[in-house]
Amino acid sequence: MLRIRNSLTGEKEPFVPLRDGEVRMYVCGITVYDYIHVGHARMLTVFDLVQRYLRARGFAVTYVRNITDIDDKIIERAAHNGESWSQLAQRFTAAMHEDCARLGLQQPDLEPRATDFIAPIIAMTRTLIDKGYAYLAANGDVMYAVRKFAAYGRLSGKKIDDLRAGARVQVDDAKLDPLDFVLWKTAKPGEPSWPSPWGAGRPGWHIECSAMSTELLGDYFDLHGGGVDLTFPHHENEIAQSCAACGTPFVQIWMHNGFVRINDEKMSKSLGNFFTVRDVLKTLRDPEVLRLFLISSHYRGPINYSEAQLDQADETLLGLYRALKDTRDGADTDRAALGAFDAAMDDDFNTPEALAVLQGVARDLNSCKAAGDAAGTARAAGTLRAMGTMLGILQQDPEAYLKRGAGAAELADADIAALLEARRQARAARNFAESDRIRERLSAAGILLEDKPGGATEWRRA
Ligand SMILES: [Zn+2]
């Protein structure tokens, strides 16, 4: 049975979905004001893996990952660039999709944008006012009154009085309590805004996730994930909003992934010590190297990012693809190894352990090949690829993979396929600027495209 560590209880709990055979999961996605970095890639990869494994275990999964497309940073960056906030948000959404495709991430089932959910956000804010959990502050903002929600601090294990003592005294006197947070922000002149019962304004960040998750998954759903830095205050605030508005529990299991560290500091935009995914991918043989690095450690702990670690992941993948070279999958699989793999994944997605089992199968594959054991070779190869599917690795043609140079600037076939898919989506959304940009990017890498009647696109190397 699958057990997942619940941040709410601090315990590994047997996972029993609220509706039989169905999993509803929500993950806090990207605020689209810049390119994603390796810290984001870890969060995205961890929850991609979670949803893949849940599907492999036979659950019908609805995976929702939102896009925050309005916020202070977006407004500031757009003003700085002299472009509109929506242009900037669209540009970085497209870039994020491209990076996700190259990282081999499956698309979430639903990817709501905050600005498409203004009505449910306003409705939930109004409910919170009606129920006495929120108030209209002197400056025109709508605030959540934290002291009205008795369970505040349960997720992060913080006591409300300690928090209050530690909170900086706010310069603005709009809040009744320093812990209160904004649900609806009144617009300053020139800022983007939407009409509301409290005047023109825009949603706060926290209410966005409560309103979208409830709207798409119901009042009470199975899994909510995000980076560990979101535990407080973001997820604490989501719980306060949703439980108060809906009068039900909000989320059964909270999952948080650890930081990516560089020299023992968290990788983050604000610290300026980040590497963008696109810069890192330029230095690698294949995007799969980054993926393997990210899943080589257990999702909850911190990981240290270094070139040495990436080199190690590169070596490991080369070894695995060498083992798979000149093999065909047999009809038969190694049930004992697959059982051990599932047991590791069932133990709170223990990927280091699952990868150790996978390495054992690769050793078995090499010995079978050396001994000329065709049946054993086919069995081990099929088992290895089946495990690779669940982890999102080892699905490429070994021959082509092994031919690729280290740090190949040249795009791999899989990258080209990912970019073509991103271009197809851009065209379907009539975002021709983005589809032209992808065409130019491919053309710069020596890839020529030919659009065929009926929508298919063929490509060749120049
Ligand atoms: Zn969120």
Side-chain angles (χ1 to χ4, degrees), residues 419-462:
L419 285 166
L420 286 178
E421 175 56 21
R423 179 168 174 266
R424 190 192 62 74
Q425 285 178 24
R427 278 156 55 108
R430 307 194 65 75
N431 183 352
F432 297 113
E434 171 63 10
S435 80
D436 287 348
R437 212 178 56 70
I438 297 174
R439 177 190 273 272
E440 276 160 29
R441 172 132 183 255
L442 285 163
S443 135
I447 308 299
L448 303 178
L449 304 188
E450 198 182 333
D451 291 320
K452 296 282 181 190
T457 301
E458 287 183 359
W459 63 270
R460 61 188 172 82
R461 293 185 196 274

Side-chain angles (χ1 to χ4, degrees), residues 285-299:
R285 185 185 314 274
D286 190 280
E288 216 170 299
V289 174
L290 182 58
R291 184 171 178 104
L292 181 66
F293 160 67
L294 291 171
I295 64 172
S296 294
S297 307
H298 191 273
Y299 76 88

Side-chain angles (χ1 to χ4, degrees), residues 33 70 77 132 173 176 178 223 335 346 356 402 447 451:
Y33 73 103
I70 187 75
R77 182 68 62 94
D173 54 0
L176 298 179
L223 292 176
R335 282 163 182 272
D346 277 349
L402 293 167
I447 308 299
D451 291 320

Side-chain angles (χ1 to χ4, degrees), residues 26-29 66 205-206 208-209 224 230 234-235 238:
Y26 183 93
V27 170
C28 294
N66 74 301
W205 173 38
H206 312 300
E208 172 194 315
C209 284
H224 191 315
L230 298 189
H234 184 53
H235 290 161
E238 279 188 42

Side-chain angles (χ1 to χ4, degrees), residues 69-90:
D69 63 346
I70 187 75
D71 123 300
D72 289 344
K73 290 188 284 278
I74 294 173
I75 294 170
E76 274 162 32
R77 182 68 62 94
H80 178 84
N81 292 353
E83 65 186 320
S84 77
W85 65 272
S86 57
Q87 262 172 349
L88 178 102
Q90 262 178 35

Side-chain angles (χ1 to χ4, degrees), residues 96-363:
M96 186 258 294
H97 283 154
E98 230 180 271
D99 292 341
C100 287
R102 292 197 71 201
L103 285 170
L105 303 176
Q106 291 175 345
Q107 284 170 22
D109 299 291
L110 296 163
E111 200 178 36
R113 293 162 207 241
T115 58
D116 290 334
F117 283 76
I118 299 292
I121 289 169
I122 289 175
M124 189 176 259
T125 305
R126 192 201 288 267
T127 304
L128 288 169
I129 294 177
D130 291 347
K131 288 190 165 185
Y133 288 96
Y135 60 93
L136 184 62
N139 65 355
D141 291 350
V142 180
M143 295 276 181
Y144 188 99
V146 165
R147 73 198 144 86
K148 294 279 174 70
F149 187 69
Y152 196 80
R154 198 180 142 210
L155 176 69
S156 49
K158 293 178 190 290
K159 289 211 176 66
I160 201 159
D161 289 331
D162 298 347
L163 285 170
R164 191 171 292 128
R168 276 196 222 138
V169 180
Q170 296 287 323
V171 190
D172 68 86
D173 54 0
K175 295 179 183 184
L176 298 179
D177 185 304
L179 293 178
D180 292 353
F181 58 90
V182 177
L183 298 172
W184 186 261
K185 220 174 160 109
T186 195
K188 296 194 190 85
E191 280 184 350
S193 67
W194 289 261
S196 84
W198 319 285
R202 63 190 150 93
W205 173 38
H206 312 300
I207 190 76
E208 172 194 315
C209 284
S210 281
M212 291 190 288
S213 59
T214 301
E215 187 77 5
L216 297 171
L217 296 174
D219 294 351
Y220 184 29
F221 55 91
D222 301 290
L223 292 176
H224 191 315
V228 67
D229 50 334
L230 298 189
T231 311
F232 182 83
H234 184 53
H235 290 161
E236 200 72 74
N237 291 352
E238 279 188 42
I239 294 173
Q241 294 163 157
S242 291
C243 292
C246 304
T248 56
F250 175 37
V251 168
Q252 188 184 195
I253 295 190
W254 285 87
M255 289 181 71
H256 292 100
N257 68 275
F259 293 133
V260 175
R261 293 171 175 276
I262 297 178
N263 304 322
D264 292 322
E265 262 190 332
K266 174 195 161 194
M267 184 186 286
S268 80
K269 277 267 148 62
S270 47
L271 294 171
N273 62 350
F274 61 90
F275 294 94
T276 65
V277 166
R278 44 191 62 201
D279 282 347
V280 171
L281 292 187
K282 277 182 208 150
T283 70
L284 301 179
R285 185 185 314 274
D286 190 280
E288 216 170 299
V289 174
L290 182 58
R291 184 171 178 104
L292 181 66
F293 160 67
L294 291 171
I295 64 172
S296 294
S297 307
H298 191 273
Y299 76 88
R300 271 193 287 116
I303 49 173
N304 256 310
Y305 174 87
S306 69
E307 254 174 60
Q309 298 268 21
L310 288 175
D311 287 348
Q312 200 186 328
D314 184 41
E315 278 304 314
T316 304
L317 274 176
L318 284 174
L320 293 168
Y321 274 112
R322 268 184 218 117
L324 283 171
K325 191 168 175 280
D326 306 321
T327 64
R328 244 183 247 147
D329 297 358
D332 193 20
T333 50
D334 183 340
R335 282 163 182 272
L338 282 171
F341 180 92
D342 283 350
M345 291 297 283
D346 277 349
D347 180 20
D348 194 24
F349 307 96
N350 191 338
T351 49
E353 191 63 41
L355 284 166
V357 176
L358 181 147
Q359 288 283 10
V361 176
R363 280 194 295 275

